[in-house]
Amino acid sequence: MFKKDPIQIITFRSYGTPNHLYVKGRALEDENIDLSKKGFFNLLWNTYKRFKTDLVKNEPLVLKLPDGRKIETKTDEQGYFLIDETIENMLPLIDENGWLKYEISFAEKFPKRIIQENNIFFGEVMIPSETAKFGLISDIDDTIMHTGLTSRFKWQVAKNTVFKRAEKRIPLEGAADFYEKLKNGKSGNDHNPIFYVSHGPWNLYRYLEVFLEKNNFPKGPILLRDFVNPFAKKYKPEKPQKQKEIINILETYPELRFILIGDSGEHDPDIYTEIAEAHPERILAIYLRNVNHKKRMLRVKGLFENYETVPVLLVENSKAAIEHAKQMKFI
């Protein structure tokens, strides 16, 4: 606890209800990452700093709601914190755009450390509007952002993540417009909530936040996973974590039905069909964007050849998805 780097709390945009708070974040040293810097070495250095995180472990934190109520929590061994509990009567605290804003601080002072932002860090939680007709749960990699997860040895993933600034990443054509239409719904004013759920690690949170904002995607929670060393003996594929997050969203909003959007390249077809089979009455449709990988597309087409549980559409582009959504009266 006596290193020179300042410490900070990073809050992850999350979701909740008027009576339930679900807040995630992480306490760590400030590595002074400037996402606007250009040049090969700056981009490489920024990537190193994103994954070289010095954590603030087992430290008590205090979250403060706009009405003065306080909730105590504590970081774990990886610096993460989670508040997942019932908090009554938060409806008056929600702004006109459906967001509950809060402050969070370190509960203790650190005489030999600098705490950024005068030890007041801000976060926000989405509370879906009562006008919402459905929710949208979307993957990020190769669903709305060109990533290259199907490239051989993942070289394209490394190239895009390490050597491209967030604002220079290319969104898939028409995706932002499609999501805006789904958010607005059939009436044009439904305020349907959108959740971004990815296999990407939390270390990429700021990077993805910038990408979504710069490319005009509707604002929504960004839900990632813990970074795991794939060479560790106890390493397991992270498929269950993404599935767990989606199920938690369904359980948080039992009255809402959902559209699931992903791609045909990784685990999305399997995860989404498992969820649809378990909750057929909750899933309105599944959209899977075609990736340029012949063997995987053949597998996915076979998987859905006689599938009738929920409507599934394999799409080449957003235009096809928009046409289908109009036919289904989603937009």
Side-chain angles (χ1 to χ4, degrees):
M1 294 300 297
F2 296 101
K3 295 181 181 178
K4 293 180 180 179
D5 286 344
I7 58 175
Q8 63 179 337
I9 301 171
I10 294 178
T11 59
F12 304 139
R13 196 186 296 157
S14 193
Y15 58 92
T17 74
N19 295 306
H20 196 96
L21 195 63
Y22 185 63
V23 171
K24 285 186 168 186
R26 200 177 196 187
L28 66 166
E29 292 186 1
D30 187 355
E31 300 294 342
N32 192 29
I33 297 173
D34 185 352
L35 291 175
S36 67
K37 282 189 174 182
K38 303 177 182 180
F40 175 87
F41 290 107
N42 282 326
L43 292 169
L44 189 62
W45 183 240
N46 274 345
T47 300
Y48 167 75
K49 288 193 289 186
R50 278 203 297 268
F51 288 92
K52 180 239 170 218
T53 48
D54 291 317
L55 314 171
V56 183
K57 307 176 183 179
N58 304 313
E59 281 296 332
L61 309 175
V62 178
L63 181 144
K64 183 179 178 181
L65 295 174
D67 62 2
R69 280 184 284 177
K70 295 180 179 180
I71 300 121
E72 297 179 354
T73 187
K74 191 176 184 179
T75 62
D76 63 16
E77 287 294 323
Q78 296 299 316
Y80 292 104
F81 66 89
L82 171 65
I83 296 173
D84 185 7
E85 58 184 84
T86 299
I87 307 291
E88 297 294 339
N89 195 31
M90 292 188 292
L91 189 60
L93 310 179
I94 303 168
D95 68 20
E96 65 277 8
N97 296 313
W99 291 89
L100 169 67
K101 294 180 171 58
Y102 64 85
E103 299 176 4
I104 192 164
S105 306
F106 289 101
E108 300 175 356
K109 295 181 179 180
F110 298 87
K112 297 185 179 181
R113 300 297 300 274
I114 295 173
I115 303 179
Q116 298 288 52
E117 307 298 333
N118 294 316
N119 196 23
I120 300 176
F121 302 89
F122 297 95
E124 51 189 355
V125 177
M126 182 185 69
I127 313 290
S129 169
E130 292 182 355
T131 64
K133 302 298 188 295
F134 59 82
L136 168 65
I137 299 173
S138 173
D139 183 40
I140 296 176
D141 299 325
D142 286 326
T143 300
I144 61 176
M145 175 170 61
H146 288 285
T147 303
L149 283 172
T150 59
S151 62
R152 193 175 186 184
F153 304 121
K154 311 294 186 188
W155 293 130
Q156 197 67 32
V157 177
K159 176 184 174 183
N160 285 328
T161 305
V162 177
F163 302 121
K164 282 189 179 180
R165 290 180 293 141
E167 60 267 36
K168 292 296 183 182
R169 294 296 294 273
I170 302 172
L172 289 160
E173 185 178 359
D177 178 55
F178 180 37
Y179 284 30
E180 186 67 29
K181 284 180 167 61
L182 289 171
K183 174 191 171 185
N184 295 332
K186 181 68 175 175
S187 75
N189 197 36
D190 288 349
H191 300 290
N192 297 318
I194 297 180
F195 305 81
Y196 301 97
V197 183
S198 174
H199 284 302
W202 287 111
N203 309 64
L204 294 175
Y205 177 84
R206 294 285 200 216
Y207 186 91
L208 294 174
E209 188 178 41
V210 170
F211 168 81
L212 292 169
E213 182 179 344
K214 292 289 184 182
N215 290 289
N216 300 313
F217 281 91
K219 185 177 177 181
I222 303 171
L223 307 162
L224 307 175
R225 66 171 175 85
D226 294 357
F227 179 69
V228 180
N229 179 2
F231 301 105
K233 291 182 180 180
K234 294 183 179 180
Y235 173 74
K236 294 180 181 179
E238 201 54 42
K239 172 183 170 182
Q241 176 60 32
K242 183 175 183 179
Q243 201 158 340
K244 179 181 176 182
E245 197 69 70
I246 294 173
I247 291 170
N248 191 64
I249 293 170
L250 266 63
E251 291 176 348
T252 301
Y253 308 107
E255 303 302 320
L256 269 185
R257 300 173 75 187
F258 288 86
I259 295 170
L260 308 179
I261 302 183
D263 65 83
S264 61
E266 289 280 303
H267 296 302
D268 289 348
D270 301 288
I271 291 176
Y272 289 178
T273 51
E274 284 182 34
I275 290 171
E277 289 297 324
H279 308 277
E281 75 289 351
R282 303 290 308 281
I283 306 304
L284 288 169
I286 296 173
Y287 293 106
L288 293 172
R289 190 179 289 272
N290 185 7
V291 296
N292 187 22
H293 194 287
K294 188 176 181 179
K295 286 185 178 180
R296 290 184 181 177
M297 275 309 299
L298 286 174
R299 185 187 81 83
V300 171
K301 285 180 180 178
L303 185 66
F304 292 111
E305 189 172 5
N306 298 307
Y307 191 78
E308 297 180 351
T309 304
V310 301
V312 177
L313 187 69
L314 303 180
V315 298
E316 297 289 338
N317 51 53
S318 296
K319 184 178 179 181
I322 289 172
E323 288 303 314
H324 182 268
K326 286 180 179 177
Q327 292 173 16
M328 297 293 290
K329 298 183 179 180
F330 300 149
I331 60 178

